[in-house]
């Protein structure tokens, strides 16, 4: 009797075959892979990927009781978090009641960015876990988390267990266990866990989503997404005064560490978790050709950087390929080191048309393979831009945040909470999109062996409906446009 891929992997994982966990058998020999994770950690990724968790309640499409005023507490207010404080202060129906950061100076600077009256914003600071005291307050509805990655899931779970909705910066979790913990907490408490994937609200991404909803591409065959952003050298300086939390992520792990910028938008187009599902994936990383060289270069200027010489930096380019249950493929790339122009790829290839955002400008081709003219593109936008764009793009661009998509994301989330509507990106999206990182680490360490992607919906994806982009309900949250930015 033959053994298929899934059966073989389950047998291997259950018996702890060394060739699966730490190397691969080829020609009768065992080849040890160089990886950044211990065999125990790799085995745990595998076991968690196949562990079953019963669903307590289906959060997809769930409409929580509406909140006329959304009382918000922020945790982690560096550059990204303090910008979020400013953006939300423009949204009517928001009351910023607390700001938390380990550094009181950071919390005070974030508070100073509030642009409208009516936000008491009590400061919580001085300890790494000051956020717990904030989360225990009874007058907070939403906890907005922009901390280092390792704290996203713990704060998310704690917030929901204390009766709060939570919005988590990407990735929402670092491990498969944390992904399941978020799912279970959200289902148990019936509190939303929103992943703050701003790229889902960029204008071309929303256009292509609406095009897909209208059958413009035909059957989706293949999509591509990425995070290609040259920030490698700056990683040595990020996170001051600790200066290295994100660098540490790039030393201890080797895989697709930041998959959601690329996966989120194409995942919505492919209706993942809502009529479609990711099945399994493979992942491969290059060697490191640059980060160690940066460490050597910087150590010539400051002894502090000598500790990073010959560290186990992740491969400069990671390429992961995902197959869905419908037989489609998704390519996801991660490269924050090599000198390439910024790209998230965002390619949608269907049986009738193709769209591609990068290299800029965005373009679309129909049938004959020729890109539409600028005039044709404008006509297409006028016809198919969803109401979220036509209603909000001008004010979103004015307030800003990566060209306006950050504000659009924030406004939409608040509007859903105020109107008692399902959120666009729920806990299943947060878990599934974030899980790609640890799963890719396992595959990279095992010579790009395939690994199944957990079904965090427990089969509910078959009946879950795509999120609404029509604004037929809600859309009535105002923006305080009378307050001018400095």
């Amino acid at each position: 009797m033959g053994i298929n891929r899934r059966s073989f992997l389950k047998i291997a994982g259950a018996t702890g075959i060394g060739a699966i966990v730490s190397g691969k058998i080829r020609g009768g020999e065992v080849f040890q892979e160089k990886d950044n994770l211990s065999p125990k950690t790799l085995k745990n990724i595998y076991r968690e990927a196949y562990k079953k968790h019963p669903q307590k309640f289906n959060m997809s499409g769930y409409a929580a009781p509406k909140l006329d005023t959304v009382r918000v507490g922020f945790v982690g207010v560096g550059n990204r978090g303090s910008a979020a404080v400013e953006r939300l202060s423009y949204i009517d129906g928001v009351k910023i009641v607390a700001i938390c950061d380990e550094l009181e100076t950071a919390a005070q600077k974030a508070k100073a960015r509030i642009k409208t009256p009516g936000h008491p914003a009590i400061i919580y600071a001085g300890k790494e876990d000051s956020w717990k005291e904030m989360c225990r307050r009874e007058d907070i509805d939403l906890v907005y988390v922009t901390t280092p990655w390792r704290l996203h899931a713990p704060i998310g779970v704690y917030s929901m267990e204390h009766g709060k909705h939570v919005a988590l910066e990407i990735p929402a979790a670092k491990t498969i266990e944390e992904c399941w913990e978020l799912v279970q907490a959200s289902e148990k408490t019936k509190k939303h866990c929103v992943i703050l994937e701003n790229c889902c609200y960029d204008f071309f991404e929303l256009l292509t989503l609406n095009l897909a909803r209208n059958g413009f591409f035909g059957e989706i065959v293949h999509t591509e997404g990425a995070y290609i952003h040259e920030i490698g050298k700056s990683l040595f300086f990020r996170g001051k005064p600790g200066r290295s939390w994100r660098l540490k992520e790039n030393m201890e792990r080797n895989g697709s560490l930041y998959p959601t910028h690329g996966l989120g938008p194409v995942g919505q187009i492919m209706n993942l978790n809502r009529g479609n599902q990711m099945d399994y994936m493979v992942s491969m990383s290059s060697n490191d050709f640059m980060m160690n060289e940066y460490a050597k270069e910087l150590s010539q200027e400051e002894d502090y950087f000598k500790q990073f010489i010959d560290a186990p930096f992740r491969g400069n380019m990671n390429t992961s390929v995902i197959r869905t249950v419908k037989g489609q493929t998704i390519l996801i790339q991660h490269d924050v080191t090599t000198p390439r122009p910024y790209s998230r790829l965002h390619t949608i290839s269907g049986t009738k048309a193709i769209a591609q955002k990068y290299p800029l400008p965005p373009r679309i081709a129909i049938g004959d393979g020729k890109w539409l003219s600028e005039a044709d593109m404008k006509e297409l936008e006028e016809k198919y831009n969803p109401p979220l764009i036509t209603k909000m793009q001008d004010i979103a661009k004015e307030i800003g945040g990566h060209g306006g998509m950050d504000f659009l994301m924030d406004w939409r989330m608040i509007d859903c909470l105020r109107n008692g509507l399902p959120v666009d990106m729920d806990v299943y999206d947060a878990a599934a999109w974030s899980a790609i990182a640890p799963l890719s680490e396992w595959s990279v360490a095992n010579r790009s062996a395939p690994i199944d992607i957990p079904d965090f919906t427990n089969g509910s994806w078959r009946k879950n409906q795509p999120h609404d982009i029509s604004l037929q309900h809600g859309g009535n949250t105002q923006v305080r446009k009378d307050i001018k930015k400095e």
Side-chain angles (χ1 to χ4, degrees):
M1 181 177 69
I3 299 178
N4 63 25
R5 172 190 61 83
R6 185 172 298 195
S7 297
F8 172 70
L9 286 177
K10 287 184 177 180
I11 293 170
T15 57
I17 295 176
I20 292 293
V21 173
S22 58
K24 293 296 289 182
I25 297 175
R26 187 175 69 191
E29 300 177 83
V30 176
F31 288 79
Q32 179 75 28
E33 282 291 285
K34 179 183 178 182
D35 60 71
N36 299 22
L37 299 176
S38 68
K40 181 179 180 181
T41 301
L42 290 170
K43 182 180 285 188
N44 195 52
I45 291 173
Y46 178 86
R47 286 175 174 168
E48 289 296 324
Y50 291 93
K51 187 180 290 185
K52 300 299 181 183
H53 299 262
Q55 187 177 75
K56 295 180 175 66
F57 179 81
N58 186 6
M59 288 298 292
S60 182
Y62 172 67
K66 68 178 183 179
L67 302 165
D68 292 332
T69 299
V70 182
R71 300 166 297 180
V72 185
F74 288 87
V75 184
V77 284
N79 290 337
R80 188 167 299 190
S82 60
V85 170
E86 179 175 326
R87 291 194 307 270
L88 264 73
S89 73
Y90 285 104
I91 302 175
D92 196 31
V94 166
K95 184 177 183 179
I96 300 171
V97 298
I99 297 176
C100 177
D101 195 278
E102 187 174 356
L103 300 176
E104 184 173 356
T105 53
Q108 293 290 357
K109 287 180 180 179
K111 184 174 181 177
R113 296 186 66 168
I114 294 175
K115 300 296 183 182
T116 58
H119 304 283
I122 303 300
I123 298 296
Y124 292 82
K127 298 184 298 182
E128 186 175 338
D129 64 349
S130 295
W131 53 269
K132 289 185 177 179
E133 182 181 358
M134 190 200 83
C135 291
R136 288 194 291 265
R137 287 180 55 163
E138 295 183 358
D139 61 344
I140 293 177
D141 303 303
L142 171 69
V143 176
Y144 197 112
V145 183
T146 52
T147 63
W149 300 349
R150 65 183 175 83
L151 292 172
H152 291 179
I155 297 175
V157 171
Y158 195 86
S159 298
M160 288 184 283
E161 288 178 342
H162 285 78
K164 281 77 174 168
H165 300 297
V166 65
L168 299 177
E169 253 297 349
I170 59 173
K174 285 184 57 179
T175 68
I176 304 300
E177 299 101 306
E178 288 182 341
C179 289
W180 277 115
E181 287 168 5
L182 289 173
V183 168
Q184 291 177 312
S186 181
E187 291 179 348
K188 178 182 177 181
T189 63
K190 295 185 181 179
K191 294 298 179 181
H192 289 303
C193 177
V194 177
I195 182 170
L196 293 169
E197 184 39 77
N198 55 349
C199 295
C200 290
Y201 294 88
D202 211 349
F203 303 124
F204 188 69
E205 282 80 345
L206 284 169
L207 170 65
T208 51
L209 173 60
N210 200 35
L211 287 170
R213 294 277 180 92
N214 283 275
F216 181 86
F217 297 105
E219 292 290 329
I220 304 294
V221 178
H222 173 79
T223 63
E224 299 178 4
Y227 183 64
I228 297 172
H229 189 189
E230 186 189 0
I231 58 172
K233 197 170 185 178
S234 74
L235 292 176
F236 288 88
F237 299 92
R238 293 192 174 204
K240 290 184 178 180
R243 189 152 64 169
S244 58
W245 75 261
R246 191 160 177 180
L247 177 65
K248 187 177 180 182
E249 295 284 351
N250 283 266
M251 288 168 49
E252 296 182 345
R253 308 169 67 195
N254 189 17
S256 184
L257 304 188
Y258 210 60
T260 70
H261 273 350
L263 178 58
V266 299
Q268 289 186 334
I269 287 170
M270 300 175 85
N271 291 327
L272 298 183
N273 295 326
R274 298 168 176 84
N276 195 4
Q277 190 70 7
M278 293 184 288
D279 190 5
Y280 65 94
M281 68 174 291
V282 297
S283 187
M284 179 181 292
S285 289
S286 72
N287 287 344
D288 167 48
F289 294 89
M290 300 191 69
M291 293 295 286
N292 196 45
E293 295 304 311
Y294 285 143
K296 292 177 181 178
E297 176 188 333
L298 291 167
S299 68
Q300 299 298 313
E301 304 169 6
E302 187 178 341
D303 287 345
Y304 167 81
F305 297 103
K306 289 183 179 180
Q307 63 184 302
F308 302 117
I309 295 176
D310 295 330
F313 293 106
R314 50 119 185 98
N316 300 143
M317 168 60 83
N318 176 272
T319 298
S320 299
V321 180
I322 300 164
R323 184 178 172 89
T324 73
V325 295
K326 291 188 174 182
Q328 306 148 310
T329 52
I330 307 170
L331 180 144
I332 300 295
Q333 290 189 317
H334 176 268
D335 178 5
V336 295
T337 315
T338 63
R340 295 176 58 177
Y342 179 87
S343 175
R344 300 196 303 270
L345 292 180
H346 194 67
T347 300
I348 299 92
S349 180
T351 56
K352 294 181 179 179
I354 182 173
Q356 186 177 58
K357 184 171 184 178
Y358 297 93
L360 297 170
R363 64 201 75 187
I364 292 173
I366 305 172
D368 59 8
K370 295 180 180 179
W371 301 114
L372 295 181
S373 66
E374 185 175 341
D376 288 339
M377 281 290 292
K378 185 175 179 59
E379 182 179 341
L380 201 66
E381 291 172 359
E382 291 175 352
K383 182 177 180 180
Y384 286 105
N385 265 340
L388 189 57
I389 292 181
T390 57
K391 177 182 177 66
M392 297 299 299
Q393 68 173 338
D394 290 341
I395 188 63
K397 289 178 179 178
E398 180 182 342
I399 293 177
H402 293 96
M405 62 183 180
D406 294 1
F407 180 76
L408 206 56
M409 171 187 69
D410 292 333
W411 177 88
R412 174 61 177 165
M413 175 178 62
I414 295 299
D415 189 65
C416 287
L417 293 176
R418 294 187 70 233
N419 286 281
L421 300 174
V423 292
D424 294 348
M425 301 177 292
D426 59 32
V427 70
Y428 306 119
D429 300 318
W433 300 351
S434 300
I436 297 305
L439 295 174
S440 74
E441 293 177 81
W442 186 94
S443 183
V444 167
N446 287 285
R447 295 181 63 86
S448 304
I451 187 167
D452 286 2
I453 300 170
D455 174 14
F456 294 100
T457 75
N458 278 287
S460 293
W461 63 268
R462 294 180 176 87
K463 61 183 179 182
N464 293 342
Q465 297 300 306
H467 72 283
D468 179 56
I469 59 173
S470 69
L471 286 189
Q472 290 183 355
H473 305 284
N476 54 0
T477 297
Q478 301 299 309
V479 179
R480 304 182 191 185
K481 293 181 287 186
D482 56 314
I483 307 297
K484 295 183 178 180
K485 295 182 69 178
E486 297 176 356

